[in-house]
Amino acid sequence: MVMKGREIILGILQSGPHTGYEINDILQTRLSHFFDATSGMIYPTLKKLGTEKLVTKQQISQTDRPNKNIYTITKAGKTAFSKAMSEPTSDEILKSDVLMRLYLVKIYRPNGYQNFFRKKLNVRKPNWRRYKSSWQPGWQMA
Amino acid sequence: MVMKGREIILGILQSGPHTGYEINDILQTRLSHFFDATSGMIYPTLKKLGTEKLVTKQQISQTDRPNKNIYTITKAGKTAFSKAMSEPTSDEILKSDVLMRLYLVKIYRPNGYQNFFRKKLNVRKPNWRRYKSSWQPGWQMA
DNA sequence: CTGCGCATGTAACAAGTTACATGATTTA
DNA sequence: TAAATCATGTAACTTGTTACATGCGCAG
């Protein structure tokens, strides 16, 4: 099973009750490297977790600031989270832009980006004989 | 811009004409570490690329095997792909199950999985004094 | 007086997953 | 004879993104 927004939010709520705003903040700051969240996902998810009785909601009225809802994880929620944590990890897939680009370059530009970038940057072709190293530019096809 | 199925497929077609089946095969074998694809995504995407004139379709009738459609990238398709490749890379987000789990453990199980796993595996608590190292087990909270 | 922090939420949309349907040929 | 390979595709569904709406208080 994959670690989705559902489980992430349940996991955060294990550290104590939080508002949606706080959950958003934690995701945007401390967990931004693993997961990116938006309010358009957090609030609907919290609502759904509520209807599934995995969290409870406590409304706090405020006058100077907008009202807030504090969410607390229930026993059923803790069970659900533990179950998700003990299930096998999904394949580690790096949906990586960089890696993908590097890989695709090999397919469609066998000689690499040398000339492409040289023209873009308006740089002259270097005189490789000036360098003592035996290294020569160019892709080594697998 | 993110490297999505659209661009991935265009990138593969730069290496030559391919059928949907072949594209699927390439993604499932050679590119599975960066991206995972399903036929439910590939065929609709190819169709859409066709209506956008980024690829052309050539139907091949076969008697012993199912008919196949060979897709070729057009000039417009190559332009679109090059443009996507030259756009800034999206933030490298590792939507990593493993990393996320390790991080969340800190939140909801401050002393780590020590006792949890010891009980699961039915192992006795080790006698740490037997080890010369000054290292002691346990999480170091940040 | 502009913008930020607090605080929640919806609606339309985009993208991808799952499950299914079809069907001949070949391999174990 | 069961399963894999070839080969395409749809429909329902899940998940998440983008853009927007609301509105007070406070700091620069």
PDB file of all heavy atoms in Angstrom, chain D residues 12-25:
ATOM      1  P    DA D  12     -19.203   4.388 -16.803  1.00  0.00           P
ATOM      2  OP1  DA D  12     -20.660   4.140 -16.842  1.00  0.00           O
ATOM      3  OP2  DA D  12     -18.659   5.704 -17.211  1.00  0.00           O
ATOM      4  O5'  DA D  12     -18.688   4.058 -15.335  1.00  0.00           O
ATOM      5  C5'  DA D  12     -18.470   2.704 -14.946  1.00  0.00           C
ATOM      6  C4'  DA D  12     -17.594   2.677 -13.705  1.00  0.00           C
ATOM      7  O4'  DA D  12     -16.204   2.875 -14.087  1.00  0.00           O
ATOM      8  C3'  DA D  12     -17.915   3.769 -12.688  1.00  0.00           C
ATOM      9  O3'  DA D  12     -17.863   3.186 -11.388  1.00  0.00           O
ATOM     10  C2'  DA D  12     -16.809   4.801 -12.902  1.00  0.00           C
ATOM     11  C1'  DA D  12     -15.635   3.911 -13.300  1.00  0.00           C
ATOM     12  N9   DA D  12     -14.610   4.567 -14.111  1.00  0.00           N
ATOM     13  C8   DA D  12     -14.790   5.475 -15.121  1.00  0.00           C
ATOM     14  N7   DA D  12     -13.665   5.890 -15.675  1.00  0.00           N
ATOM     15  C5   DA D  12     -12.687   5.198 -14.981  1.00  0.00           C
ATOM     16  C6   DA D  12     -11.282   5.194 -15.084  1.00  0.00           C
ATOM     17  N6   DA D  12     -10.597   5.924 -15.959  1.00  0.00           N
ATOM     18  N1   DA D  12     -10.591   4.400 -14.242  1.00  0.00           N
ATOM     19  C2   DA D  12     -11.279   3.664 -13.356  1.00  0.00           C
ATOM     20  N3   DA D  12     -12.605   3.577 -13.158  1.00  0.00           N
ATOM     21  C4   DA D  12     -13.257   4.388 -14.019  1.00  0.00           C
ATOM     22  P    DC D  13     -18.310   4.011 -10.120  1.00  0.00           P
ATOM     23  OP1  DC D  13     -18.987   3.070  -9.188  1.00  0.00           O
ATOM     24  OP2  DC D  13     -18.977   5.257 -10.541  1.00  0.00           O
ATOM     25  O5'  DC D  13     -16.910   4.387  -9.480  1.00  0.00           O
ATOM     26  C5'  DC D  13     -15.952   3.341  -9.245  1.00  0.00           C
ATOM     27  C4'  DC D  13     -14.581   3.918  -9.026  1.00  0.00           C
ATOM     28  O4'  DC D  13     -14.094   4.537 -10.235  1.00  0.00           O
ATOM     29  C3'  DC D  13     -14.514   5.022  -7.967  1.00  0.00           C
ATOM     30  O3'  DC D  13     -14.022   4.427  -6.770  1.00  0.00           O
ATOM     31  C2'  DC D  13     -13.553   6.067  -8.559  1.00  0.00           C
ATOM     32  C1'  DC D  13     -13.067   5.425  -9.852  1.00  0.00           C
ATOM     33  N1   DC D  13     -12.800   6.346 -10.990  1.00  0.00           N
ATOM     34  C2   DC D  13     -11.492   6.517 -11.432  1.00  0.00           C
ATOM     35  O2   DC D  13     -10.581   5.911 -10.858  1.00  0.00           O
ATOM     36  N3   DC D  13     -11.250   7.348 -12.487  1.00  0.00           N
ATOM     37  C4   DC D  13     -12.254   7.983 -13.075  1.00  0.00           C
ATOM     38  N4   DC D  13     -11.959   8.779 -14.102  1.00  0.00           N
ATOM     39  C5   DC D  13     -13.600   7.828 -12.645  1.00  0.00           C
ATOM     40  C6   DC D  13     -13.829   7.011 -11.605  1.00  0.00           C
ATOM     41  P    DT D  14     -13.929   5.312  -5.420  1.00  0.00           P
ATOM     42  OP1  DT D  14     -14.015   4.388  -4.285  1.00  0.00           O
ATOM     43  OP2  DT D  14     -14.832   6.496  -5.540  1.00  0.00           O
ATOM     44  O5'  DT D  14     -12.422   5.839  -5.509  1.00  0.00           O
ATOM     45  C5'  DT D  14     -11.371   4.899  -5.705  1.00  0.00           C
ATOM     46  C4'  DT D  14     -10.041   5.634  -5.786  1.00  0.00           C
ATOM     47  O4'  DT D  14      -9.945   6.342  -7.038  1.00  0.00           O
ATOM     48  C3'  DT D  14      -9.821   6.657  -4.671  1.00  0.00           C
ATOM     49  O3'  DT D  14      -8.568   6.345  -4.091  1.00  0.00           O
ATOM     50  C2'  DT D  14      -9.882   8.007  -5.393  1.00  0.00           C
ATOM     51  C1'  DT D  14      -9.460   7.655  -6.811  1.00  0.00           C
ATOM     52  N1   DT D  14      -9.999   8.495  -7.925  1.00  0.00           N
ATOM     53  C2   DT D  14      -9.116   8.998  -8.873  1.00  0.00           C
ATOM     54  O2   DT D  14      -7.920   8.816  -8.820  1.00  0.00           O
ATOM     55  N3   DT D  14      -9.699   9.724  -9.876  1.00  0.00           N
ATOM     56  C4   DT D  14     -11.045   9.992 -10.044  1.00  0.00           C
ATOM     57  O4   DT D  14     -11.439  10.648 -11.004  1.00  0.00           O
ATOM     58  C5   DT D  14     -11.916   9.450  -9.024  1.00  0.00           C
ATOM     59  C7   DT D  14     -13.401   9.697  -9.101  1.00  0.00           C
ATOM     60  C6   DT D  14     -11.360   8.739  -8.035  1.00  0.00           C
ATOM     61  P    DT D  15      -8.058   7.016  -2.765  1.00  0.00           P
ATOM     62  OP1  DT D  15      -7.159   6.052  -2.107  1.00  0.00           O
ATOM     63  OP2  DT D  15      -9.230   7.581  -2.053  1.00  0.00           O
ATOM     64  O5'  DT D  15      -7.172   8.226  -3.294  1.00  0.00           O
ATOM     65  C5'  DT D  15      -6.148   7.965  -4.259  1.00  0.00           C
ATOM     66  C4'  DT D  15      -5.655   9.261  -4.838  1.00  0.00           C
ATOM     67  O4'  DT D  15      -6.583   9.754  -5.824  1.00  0.00           O
ATOM     68  C3'  DT D  15      -5.511  10.394  -3.817  1.00  0.00           C
ATOM     69  O3'  DT D  15      -4.129  10.572  -3.593  1.00  0.00           O
ATOM     70  C2'  DT D  15      -6.200  11.601  -4.474  1.00  0.00           C
ATOM     71  C1'  DT D  15      -6.407  11.151  -5.909  1.00  0.00           C
ATOM     72  N1   DT D  15      -7.595  11.685  -6.644  1.00  0.00           N
ATOM     73  C2   DT D  15      -7.409  12.274  -7.878  1.00  0.00           C
ATOM     74  O2   DT D  15      -6.327  12.404  -8.392  1.00  0.00           O
ATOM     75  N3   DT D  15      -8.560  12.716  -8.490  1.00  0.00           N
ATOM     76  C4   DT D  15      -9.855  12.617  -7.992  1.00  0.00           C
ATOM     77  O4   DT D  15     -10.809  13.044  -8.636  1.00  0.00           O
ATOM     78  C5   DT D  15      -9.982  11.981  -6.692  1.00  0.00           C
ATOM     79  C7   DT D  15     -11.338  11.828  -6.083  1.00  0.00           C
ATOM     80  C6   DT D  15      -8.861  11.551  -6.086  1.00  0.00           C
ATOM     81  P    DG D  16      -3.569  11.662  -2.556  1.00  0.00           P
ATOM     82  OP1  DG D  16      -2.239  11.237  -2.128  1.00  0.00           O
ATOM     83  OP2  DG D  16      -4.619  11.948  -1.556  1.00  0.00           O
ATOM     84  O5'  DG D  16      -3.394  12.939  -3.491  1.00  0.00           O
ATOM     85  C5'  DG D  16      -2.632  12.803  -4.701  1.00  0.00           C
ATOM     86  C4'  DG D  16      -2.848  14.034  -5.552  1.00  0.00           C
ATOM     87  O4'  DG D  16      -4.206  14.070  -6.020  1.00  0.00           O
ATOM     88  C3'  DG D  16      -2.586  15.358  -4.835  1.00  0.00           C
ATOM     89  O3'  DG D  16      -1.591  16.052  -5.572  1.00  0.00           O
ATOM     90  C2'  DG D  16      -3.934  16.057  -4.853  1.00  0.00           C
ATOM     91  C1'  DG D  16      -4.627  15.416  -6.043  1.00  0.00           C
ATOM     92  N9   DG D  16      -6.095  15.419  -6.043  1.00  0.00           N
ATOM     93  C8   DG D  16      -6.934  14.909  -5.091  1.00  0.00           C
ATOM     94  N7   DG D  16      -8.207  15.055  -5.386  1.00  0.00           N
ATOM     95  C5   DG D  16      -8.190  15.715  -6.607  1.00  0.00           C
ATOM     96  C6   DG D  16      -9.252  16.156  -7.433  1.00  0.00           C
ATOM     97  O6   DG D  16     -10.466  16.041  -7.246  1.00  0.00           O
ATOM     98  N1   DG D  16      -8.778  16.777  -8.588  1.00  0.00           N
ATOM     99  C2   DG D  16      -7.462  16.962  -8.903  1.00  0.00           C
ATOM    100  N2   DG D  16      -7.193  17.586 -10.049  1.00  0.00           N
ATOM    101  N3   DG D  16      -6.457  16.551  -8.158  1.00  0.00           N
ATOM    102  C4   DG D  16      -6.892  15.944  -7.021  1.00  0.00           C
ATOM    103  P    DT D  17      -1.145  17.525  -5.179  1.00  0.00           P
ATOM    104  OP1  DT D  17       0.307  17.614  -5.400  1.00  0.00           O
ATOM    105  OP2  DT D  17      -1.731  17.928  -3.883  1.00  0.00           O
ATOM    106  O5'  DT D  17      -1.859  18.356  -6.329  1.00  0.00           O
ATOM    107  C5'  DT D  17      -1.612  18.008  -7.694  1.00  0.00           C
ATOM    108  C4'  DT D  17      -2.164  19.087  -8.600  1.00  0.00           C
ATOM    109  O4'  DT D  17      -3.611  19.046  -8.586  1.00  0.00           O
ATOM    110  C3'  DT D  17      -1.755  20.505  -8.200  1.00  0.00           C
ATOM    111  O3'  DT D  17      -1.342  21.170  -9.395  1.00  0.00           O
ATOM    112  C2'  DT D  17      -3.034  21.092  -7.579  1.00  0.00           C
ATOM    113  C1'  DT D  17      -4.146  20.323  -8.295  1.00  0.00           C
ATOM    114  N1   DT D  17      -5.397  20.050  -7.534  1.00  0.00           N
ATOM    115  C2   DT D  17      -6.604  20.382  -8.100  1.00  0.00           C
ATOM    116  O2   DT D  17      -6.717  20.920  -9.175  1.00  0.00           O
ATOM    117  N3   DT D  17      -7.707  20.049  -7.341  1.00  0.00           N
ATOM    118  C4   DT D  17      -7.723  19.429  -6.110  1.00  0.00           C
ATOM    119  O4   DT D  17      -8.780  19.175  -5.547  1.00  0.00           O
ATOM    120  C5   DT D  17      -6.423  19.122  -5.568  1.00  0.00           C
ATOM    121  C7   DT D  17      -6.324  18.464  -4.222  1.00  0.00           C
ATOM    122  C6   DT D  17      -5.336  19.435  -6.294  1.00  0.00           C
ATOM    123  P    DT D  18      -0.727  22.653  -9.303  1.00  0.00           P
ATOM    124  OP1  DT D  18       0.197  22.789 -10.442  1.00  0.00           O
ATOM    125  OP2  DT D  18      -0.277  22.932  -7.925  1.00  0.00           O
ATOM    126  O5'  DT D  18      -1.995  23.564  -9.595  1.00  0.00           O
ATOM    127  C5'  DT D  18      -2.875  23.182 -10.636  1.00  0.00           C
ATOM    128  C4'  DT D  18      -3.935  24.250 -10.841  1.00  0.00           C
ATOM    129  O4'  DT D  18      -5.130  23.892 -10.089  1.00  0.00           O
ATOM    130  C3'  DT D  18      -3.541  25.649 -10.384  1.00  0.00           C
ATOM    131  O3'  DT D  18      -3.859  26.537 -11.455  1.00  0.00           O
ATOM    132  C2'  DT D  18      -4.373  25.896  -9.118  1.00  0.00           C
ATOM    133  C1'  DT D  18      -5.568  24.980  -9.317  1.00  0.00           C
ATOM    134  N1   DT D  18      -6.169  24.350  -8.105  1.00  0.00           N
ATOM    135  C2   DT D  18      -7.534  24.167  -8.067  1.00  0.00           C
ATOM    136  O2   DT D  18      -8.280  24.514  -8.963  1.00  0.00           O
ATOM    137  N3   DT D  18      -8.002  23.543  -6.940  1.00  0.00           N
ATOM    138  C4   DT D  18      -7.264  23.093  -5.864  1.00  0.00           C
ATOM    139  O4   DT D  18      -7.808  22.538  -4.914  1.00  0.00           O
ATOM    140  C5   DT D  18      -5.836  23.315  -5.967  1.00  0.00           C
ATOM    141  C7   DT D  18      -4.947  22.870  -4.846  1.00  0.00           C
ATOM    142  C6   DT D  18      -5.363  23.922  -7.067  1.00  0.00           C
ATOM    143  P    DA D  19      -3.538  28.133 -11.306  1.00  0.00           P
ATOM    144  OP1  DA D  19      -3.170  28.601 -12.661  1.00  0.00           O
ATOM    145  OP2  DA D  19      -2.642  28.385 -10.159  1.00  0.00           O
ATOM    146  O5'  DA D  19      -4.982  28.698 -10.954  1.00  0.00           O
ATOM    147  C5'  DA D  19      -6.139  28.080 -11.504  1.00  0.00           C
ATOM    148  C4'  DA D  19      -7.377  28.626 -10.812  1.00  0.00           C
ATOM    149  O4'  DA D  19      -7.712  27.800  -9.666  1.00  0.00           O
ATOM    150  C3'  DA D  19      -7.229  30.044 -10.281  1.00  0.00           C
ATOM    151  O3'  DA D  19      -8.365  30.792 -10.691  1.00  0.00           O
ATOM    152  C2'  DA D  19      -7.172  29.880  -8.772  1.00  0.00           C
ATOM    153  C1'  DA D  19      -8.035  28.644  -8.587  1.00  0.00           C
ATOM    154  N9   DA D  19      -7.806  27.900  -7.338  1.00  0.00           N
ATOM    155  C8   DA D  19      -6.611  27.641  -6.730  1.00  0.00           C
ATOM    156  N7   DA D  19      -6.715  26.943  -5.615  1.00  0.00           N
ATOM    157  C5   DA D  19      -8.089  26.725  -5.494  1.00  0.00           C
ATOM    158  C6   DA D  19      -8.854  26.045  -4.546  1.00  0.00           C
ATOM    159  N6   DA D  19      -8.344  25.439  -3.476  1.00  0.00           N
ATOM    160  N1   DA D  19     -10.197  26.015  -4.730  1.00  0.00           N
ATOM    161  C2   DA D  19     -10.715  26.631  -5.791  1.00  0.00           C
ATOM    162  N3   DA D  19     -10.088  27.296  -6.765  1.00  0.00           N
ATOM    163  C4   DA D  19      -8.760  27.308  -6.551  1.00  0.00           C
ATOM    164  P    DC D  20      -8.340  32.408 -10.446  1.00  0.00           P
ATOM    165  OP1  DC D  20      -8.983  32.998 -11.634  1.00  0.00           O
ATOM    166  OP2  DC D  20      -7.024  32.867  -9.985  1.00  0.00           O
ATOM    167  O5'  DC D  20      -9.366  32.531  -9.221  1.00  0.00           O
ATOM    168  C5'  DC D  20     -10.708  32.104  -9.436  1.00  0.00           C
ATOM    169  C4'  DC D  20     -11.356  31.788  -8.121  1.00  0.00           C
ATOM    170  O4'  DC D  20     -10.534  30.896  -7.358  1.00  0.00           O
ATOM    171  C3'  DC D  20     -11.561  32.985  -7.179  1.00  0.00           C
ATOM    172  O3'  DC D  20     -12.880  33.488  -7.366  1.00  0.00           O
ATOM    173  C2'  DC D  20     -11.369  32.397  -5.783  1.00  0.00           C
ATOM    174  C1'  DC D  20     -11.019  30.945  -6.031  1.00  0.00           C
ATOM    175  N1   DC D  20      -9.986  30.400  -5.103  1.00  0.00           N
ATOM    176  C2   DC D  20     -10.412  29.616  -4.024  1.00  0.00           C
ATOM    177  O2   DC D  20     -11.628  29.410  -3.881  1.00  0.00           O
ATOM    178  N3   DC D  20      -9.489  29.109  -3.173  1.00  0.00           N
ATOM    179  C4   DC D  20      -8.190  29.360  -3.375  1.00  0.00           C
ATOM    180  N4   DC D  20      -7.321  28.836  -2.504  1.00  0.00           N
ATOM    181  C5   DC D  20      -7.728  30.150  -4.474  1.00  0.00           C
ATOM    182  C6   DC D  20      -8.656  30.642  -5.300  1.00  0.00           C
ATOM    183  P    DA D  21     -13.230  34.950  -6.797  1.00  0.00           P
ATOM    184  OP1  DA D  21     -14.272  35.519  -7.685  1.00  0.00           O
ATOM    185  OP2  DA D  21     -11.977  35.691  -6.534  1.00  0.00           O
ATOM    186  O5'  DA D  21     -13.888  34.607  -5.387  1.00  0.00           O
ATOM    187  C5'  DA D  21     -14.899  33.588  -5.287  1.00  0.00           C
ATOM    188  C4'  DA D  21     -15.222  33.402  -3.826  1.00  0.00           C
ATOM    189  O4'  DA D  21     -14.266  32.490  -3.245  1.00  0.00           O
ATOM    190  C3'  DA D  21     -15.134  34.701  -3.027  1.00  0.00           C
ATOM    191  O3'  DA D  21     -16.392  34.983  -2.423  1.00  0.00           O
ATOM    192  C2'  DA D  21     -14.047  34.459  -1.992  1.00  0.00           C
ATOM    193  C1'  DA D  21     -13.916  32.947  -1.955  1.00  0.00           C
ATOM    194  N9   DA D  21     -12.547  32.500  -1.662  1.00  0.00           N
ATOM    195  C8   DA D  21     -11.392  32.859  -2.301  1.00  0.00           C
ATOM    196  N7   DA D  21     -10.310  32.306  -1.804  1.00  0.00           N
ATOM    197  C5   DA D  21     -10.778  31.535  -0.765  1.00  0.00           C
ATOM    198  C6   DA D  21     -10.141  30.701   0.172  1.00  0.00           C
ATOM    199  N6   DA D  21      -8.824  30.500   0.200  1.00  0.00           N
ATOM    200  N1   DA D  21     -10.890  30.063   1.095  1.00  0.00           N
ATOM    201  C2   DA D  21     -12.215  30.265   1.067  1.00  0.00           C
ATOM    202  N3   DA D  21     -12.942  31.016   0.247  1.00  0.00           N
ATOM    203  C4   DA D  21     -12.150  31.631  -0.665  1.00  0.00           C
ATOM    204  P    DT D  22     -16.691  36.443  -1.849  1.00  0.00           P
ATOM    205  OP1  DT D  22     -18.144  36.652  -1.970  1.00  0.00           O
ATOM    206  OP2  DT D  22     -15.734  37.426  -2.402  1.00  0.00           O
ATOM    207  O5'  DT D  22     -16.322  36.255  -0.317  1.00  0.00           O
ATOM    208  C5'  DT D  22     -16.908  35.174   0.416  1.00  0.00           C
ATOM    209  C4'  DT D  22     -16.243  35.063   1.759  1.00  0.00           C
ATOM    210  O4'  DT D  22     -14.962  34.404   1.593  1.00  0.00           O
ATOM    211  C3'  DT D  22     -15.929  36.413   2.402  1.00  0.00           C
ATOM    212  O3'  DT D  22     -16.888  36.699   3.396  1.00  0.00           O
ATOM    213  C2'  DT D  22     -14.512  36.249   2.974  1.00  0.00           C
ATOM    214  C1'  DT D  22     -14.162  34.810   2.693  1.00  0.00           C
ATOM    215  N1   DT D  22     -12.732  34.544   2.348  1.00  0.00           N
ATOM    216  C2   DT D  22     -12.061  33.615   3.090  1.00  0.00           C
ATOM    217  O2   DT D  22     -12.570  32.995   4.002  1.00  0.00           O
ATOM    218  N3   DT D  22     -10.743  33.432   2.730  1.00  0.00           N
ATOM    219  C4   DT D  22     -10.063  34.078   1.726  1.00  0.00           C
ATOM    220  O4   DT D  22      -8.870  33.823   1.508  1.00  0.00           O
ATOM    221  C5   DT D  22     -10.830  35.057   0.978  1.00  0.00           C
ATOM    222  C7   DT D  22     -10.171  35.816  -0.131  1.00  0.00           C
ATOM    223  C6   DT D  22     -12.110  35.239   1.331  1.00  0.00           C
ATOM    224  P    DG D  23     -17.185  38.227   3.827  1.00  0.00           P
ATOM    225  OP1  DG D  23     -18.528  38.238   4.444  1.00  0.00           O
ATOM    226  OP2  DG D  23     -16.856  39.122   2.697  1.00  0.00           O
ATOM    227  O5'  DG D  23     -16.120  38.511   4.965  1.00  0.00           O
ATOM    228  C5'  DG D  23     -16.052  37.671   6.113  1.00  0.00           C
ATOM    229  C4'  DG D  23     -14.810  38.011   6.889  1.00  0.00           C
ATOM    230  O4'  DG D  23     -13.696  37.223   6.393  1.00  0.00           O
ATOM    231  C3'  DG D  23     -14.379  39.487   6.744  1.00  0.00           C
ATOM    232  O3'  DG D  23     -14.048  39.969   8.009  1.00  0.00           O
ATOM    233  C2'  DG D  23     -13.150  39.376   5.861  1.00  0.00           C
ATOM    234  C1'  DG D  23     -12.576  38.071   6.386  1.00  0.00           C
ATOM    235  N9   DG D  23     -11.499  37.471   5.601  1.00  0.00           N
ATOM    236  C8   DG D  23     -11.308  37.516   4.244  1.00  0.00           C
ATOM    237  N7   DG D  23     -10.232  36.891   3.855  1.00  0.00           N
ATOM    238  C5   DG D  23      -9.665  36.400   5.032  1.00  0.00           C
ATOM    239  C6   DG D  23      -8.470  35.650   5.258  1.00  0.00           C
ATOM    240  O6   DG D  23      -7.648  35.249   4.426  1.00  0.00           O
ATOM    241  N1   DG D  23      -8.290  35.375   6.601  1.00  0.00           N
ATOM    242  C2   DG D  23      -9.136  35.771   7.612  1.00  0.00           C
ATOM    243  N2   DG D  23      -8.788  35.419   8.848  1.00  0.00           N
ATOM    244  N3   DG D  23     -10.249  36.460   7.425  1.00  0.00           N
ATOM    245  C4   DG D  23     -10.444  36.743   6.113  1.00  0.00           C
ATOM    246  P    DC D  24     -14.422  41.458   8.461  1.00  0.00           P
ATOM    247  OP1  DC D  24     -15.861  41.509   8.732  1.00  0.00           O
ATOM    248  OP2  DC D  24     -13.791  42.384   7.508  1.00  0.00           O
ATOM    249  O5'  DC D  24     -13.651  41.571   9.847  1.00  0.00           O
ATOM    250  C5'  DC D  24     -13.793  40.535  10.817  1.00  0.00           C
ATOM    251  C4'  DC D  24     -12.436  40.227  11.426  1.00  0.00           C
ATOM    252  O4'  DC D  24     -11.608  39.551  10.457  1.00  0.00           O
ATOM    253  C3'  DC D  24     -11.655  41.476  11.863  1.00  0.00           C
ATOM    254  O3'  DC D  24     -11.462  41.422  13.268  1.00  0.00           O
ATOM    255  C2'  DC D  24     -10.341  41.408  11.089  1.00  0.00           C
ATOM    256  C1'  DC D  24     -10.267  39.969  10.632  1.00  0.00           C
ATOM    257  N1   DC D  24      -9.555  39.784   9.328  1.00  0.00           N
ATOM    258  C2   DC D  24      -8.336  39.098   9.287  1.00  0.00           C
ATOM    259  O2   DC D  24      -7.846  38.671  10.341  1.00  0.00           O
ATOM    260  N3   DC D  24      -7.701  38.929   8.086  1.00  0.00           N
ATOM    261  C4   DC D  24      -8.253  39.404   6.978  1.00  0.00           C
ATOM    262  N4   DC D  24      -7.611  39.215   5.816  1.00  0.00           N
ATOM    263  C5   DC D  24      -9.500  40.094   6.990  1.00  0.00           C
ATOM    264  C6   DC D  24     -10.113  40.267   8.174  1.00  0.00           C
ATOM    265  P    DG D  25     -10.871  42.708  14.068  1.00  0.00           P
ATOM    266  OP1  DG D  25     -11.353  42.608  15.458  1.00  0.00           O
ATOM    267  OP2  DG D  25     -11.111  43.904  13.257  1.00  0.00           O
ATOM    268  O5'  DG D  25      -9.309  42.425  14.068  1.00  0.00           O
ATOM    269  C5'  DG D  25      -8.806  41.278  14.760  1.00  0.00           C
ATOM    270  C4'  DG D  25      -7.299  41.225  14.619  1.00  0.00           C
ATOM    271  O4'  DG D  25      -6.954  40.960  13.237  1.00  0.00           O
ATOM    272  C3'  DG D  25      -6.581  42.518  15.013  1.00  0.00           C
ATOM    273  O3'  DG D  25      -5.475  42.146  15.821  1.00  0.00           O
ATOM    274  C2'  DG D  25      -6.154  43.119  13.680  1.00  0.00           C
ATOM    275  C1'  DG D  25      -5.962  41.881  12.827  1.00  0.00           C
ATOM    276  N9   DG D  25      -6.158  42.054  11.387  1.00  0.00           N
ATOM    277  C8   DG D  25      -7.219  42.664  10.746  1.00  0.00           C
ATOM    278  N7   DG D  25      -7.124  42.628   9.442  1.00  0.00           N
ATOM    279  C5   DG D  25      -5.922  41.973   9.204  1.00  0.00           C
ATOM    280  C6   DG D  25      -5.287  41.647   7.980  1.00  0.00           C
ATOM    281  O6   DG D  25      -5.666  41.876   6.843  1.00  0.00           O
ATOM    282  N1   DG D  25      -4.077  40.977   8.211  1.00  0.00           N
ATOM    283  C2   DG D  25      -3.566  40.664   9.444  1.00  0.00           C
ATOM    284  N2   DG D  25      -2.402  40.030   9.451  1.00  0.00           N
ATOM    285  N3   DG D  25      -4.149  40.954  10.589  1.00  0.00           N
ATOM    286  C4   DG D  25      -5.324  41.615  10.395  1.00  0.00           C
TER     287       DG D  25
END
